[in-house]
Amino acid sequence: MPSAPPAGGQLSGRAVFVLVFLPFALGHFLSSLMRTVNATLAPQLVVALSLTPGQLGLLTSAFFFAFALAQLPVGIALDRWGPARVQLPMLMLAGVGALAFAGGQTFTQLLVARAVIGLGLGGCFMSAVKAISTWIAPARLPSVQGYLIAVGGLGAASATLPVRLALHYMDWRGLFVWLAAAAALTGILIRALSPPQPPSARKAPLLEAMRAVYRHPAFRETAALVLVPHTVFFGIQGLWISRWLSDVARFSEEAVGYLLYLGMAAVIFGAIAVGMLTEWAGRRGVRPISVAAAGVALFLLVQLGFVLDWRPSYQLLSVLFTLVGTVTGIEYTIVAQSLPGALTGRAATCLNLLIFLGAFAVQAGFGLVVGCWRPDLPGHYPAPAYQAAFGTLVLLQLPGLLWFVRRRARNPLEWASHPTSP
């Protein structure tokens, strides 16, 4: 993993990998695990608290809402103190939230604890992106960020079968005690290993920089195409795929856990493949936004399988959702390559704010739609409930893709005149 040290310091490629990539990737691993773990724990949580689909969606999506709220203050803190100094108190806060979740006895208590966890983990990905962008050459960012997203996929995969295996030796409350300890230790590790950030130029105030980000054509073009699919990927993959496999496909908890594990393993492969494909396409004059458009189109086709209740292989459909959905992570790379360096960190802040607010709305709203139907005696919701919810999501994503295709058809010279620009 070659590095491009800034003028203020020198680090070898191995040092970048050990001191920068690994510690911050571990934080992202833990964030993805705790974001996704409720998909595996849903049956236990429903039984323990007698949750409706709407309550389950709200409880799980509270992570996204708090995560989104953290983005602006975390963005300011990252610029002022650097990612290592920010991550230690944030991960300690996540540990406190995990302990509170372990001891919660009511829906409200668990809801607040889940929000505190999301707040504490709100800087994991942004800190990793900022640290990596400081020490990695821009040309290598797509593949390295692909590796980072793959580590997040590994964390999400660890929330499936490994968590189910852990539940043979402890209950979900004990599991969150261990997660609290892991969060605290990860924060200490990042603070101890991370090299000091080189001095950077004074940046514009946050709100002024955010206005510049939102007005930038590349940011608006990318968000119009990829933002809603990204929120759908996060919101559904983190909870409702497991419930769909249980309610519609009627798989056992063991089978659901296995399929979730396969799906999260597909995220690892997909993230690395998207990064490599983007670099390969760029060398041949294909813009990353075009790669994103093809991926979004394929992602919508997969979701149509849920809408049409494609029975030949429910297993394949669930894995394809997570495999193809990883293409939505490409928007971080597009924005990082397209915007001026002074706006890169703020652009990641803006993206995260929009993505996680959207994921909150998707995860909570999906549960409200499903809850409009009555469950059968064992508590399974019918296929039409999920078809209606997935159909709504497809209708929300389709305009962005159609706008992109229409704009490209109207301005073919624009796309041909800058073939290698992001």
Side-chain angles (χ1 to χ4, degrees):
M1 184 183 300
S3 61
Q10 294 290 330
L11 282 181
S12 68
R14 181 175 297 179
V16 171
F17 179 73
V18 174
L19 302 179
V20 179
F21 182 83
L22 281 182
F24 285 99
L26 181 60
H28 183 47
F29 171 94
L30 186 64
S31 175
S32 298
L33 191 162
M34 296 178 76
R35 185 190 76 224
T36 315
V37 72
N38 275 20
T40 301
L41 300 180
Q44 289 87 345
L45 295 174
V46 168
V47 170
L49 297 168
S50 301
L51 300 179
T52 66
Q55 288 177 318
L56 179 62
L58 182 60
L59 173 63
T60 306
S61 65
F63 178 101
F64 290 123
F65 184 74
F67 199 105
L69 291 182
Q71 299 311 298
L72 296 185
V74 166
I76 295 173
L78 286 175
D79 285 338
R80 176 172 293 186
W81 295 297
R85 295 177 65 185
V86 168
Q87 277 297 81
L88 178 58
M90 293 288 287
L91 285 169
M92 290 295 181
L93 178 62
V96 170
L99 286 177
F101 198 94
Q105 300 296 326
T106 67
F107 169 74
T108 302
Q109 290 173 349
L110 292 183
L111 184 70
V112 173
R114 177 77 174 167
V116 173
I117 293 172
L119 191 66
L121 296 175
C124 286
F125 185 75
M126 286 175 59
S127 295
V129 169
K130 183 174 179 64
I132 289 170
S133 299
T134 300
W135 300 101
I136 298 296
R140 293 285 293 152
L141 280 179
S143 59
V144 176
Q145 289 189 4
Y147 298 142
L148 178 64
I149 294 173
V151 171
L154 185 61
S158 299
T160 57
L161 278 185
V163 165
R164 285 197 58 80
L165 292 175
L167 292 176
H168 291 301
Y169 303 96
M170 66 186 80
D171 62 5
W172 60 271
R173 297 183 185 276
L175 174 67
F176 271 90
V177 172
W178 281 100
L179 291 175
L185 289 175
T186 301
I188 294 171
L189 184 67
I190 289 174
R191 187 69 179 94
L193 293 183
S194 182
Q197 289 287 111
S200 57
R202 184 179 181 274
K203 296 186 176 181
L206 179 63
L207 292 180
E208 179 182 333
M210 287 184 64
R211 282 195 293 268
V213 167
Y214 283 121
R215 290 171 181 170
H216 197 284
F219 183 90
R220 296 173 67 176
E221 177 184 60
T222 305
L225 173 65
V226 190
L227 179 64
V228 178
H230 204 160
T231 66
V232 169
F233 174 64
F234 271 0
I236 301 304
Q237 167 252 339
L239 176 63
W240 292 112
I241 283 292
S242 68
R243 304 312 301 154
W244 177 83
L245 287 169
S246 176
D247 288 350
V248 178
R250 298 299 178 99
F251 289 122
S252 65
E253 286 189 26
E254 291 75 15
V256 170
Y258 177 71
L259 287 170
L260 289 178
Y261 180 77
L262 288 181
M264 295 306 100
V267 169
I268 302 170
F269 173 80
I272 295 174
V274 168
M276 296 175 64
L277 178 62
T278 304
E279 288 188 5
W280 176 87
R283 291 193 294 269
R284 286 154 180 80
V286 179
R287 297 176 63 188
I289 192 72
S290 298
V291 177
V296 168
L298 187 57
F299 189 45
L300 284 173
L301 286 177
V302 173
Q303 292 174 65
L304 282 175
F306 292 90
V307 176
L308 300 175
D309 196 22
W310 191 58
R311 293 179 179 273
S313 182
Y314 285 142
Q315 301 97 317
L316 179 61
L317 200 57
S318 67
V319 174
L320 281 177
F321 181 89
T322 52
L323 175 64
V324 179
T326 56
V327 76
T328 58
I330 198 176
E331 62 183 328
Y332 289 105
T333 297
I334 298 173
V335 169
Q337 290 183 334
S338 303
L339 271 67
L343 294 178
T344 301
R346 305 302 172 90
T349 300
C350 295
L351 273 180
N352 277 344
L353 177 65
L354 295 174
I355 289 168
F356 287 97
L357 280 177
F360 163 76
V362 167
Q363 203 165 74
F366 196 96
L368 292 176
V369 173
V370 171
C372 292
W373 277 258
R374 290 184 179 181
D376 58 18
L377 289 178
H380 297 294
Y381 283 80
Y386 287 88
Q387 289 175 282
F390 275 110
T392 301
L393 295 181
V394 169
L395 291 177
L396 290 174
Q397 296 167 81
L398 196 57
L401 181 62
L402 294 178
W403 176 85
F404 175 86
V405 172
R406 183 180 180 185
R407 181 171 176 269
R408 182 169 185 177
R410 284 186 171 184
N411 303 281
L413 293 179
E414 175 187 346
W415 295 83
S417 58
H418 303 286
T420 60
S421 64

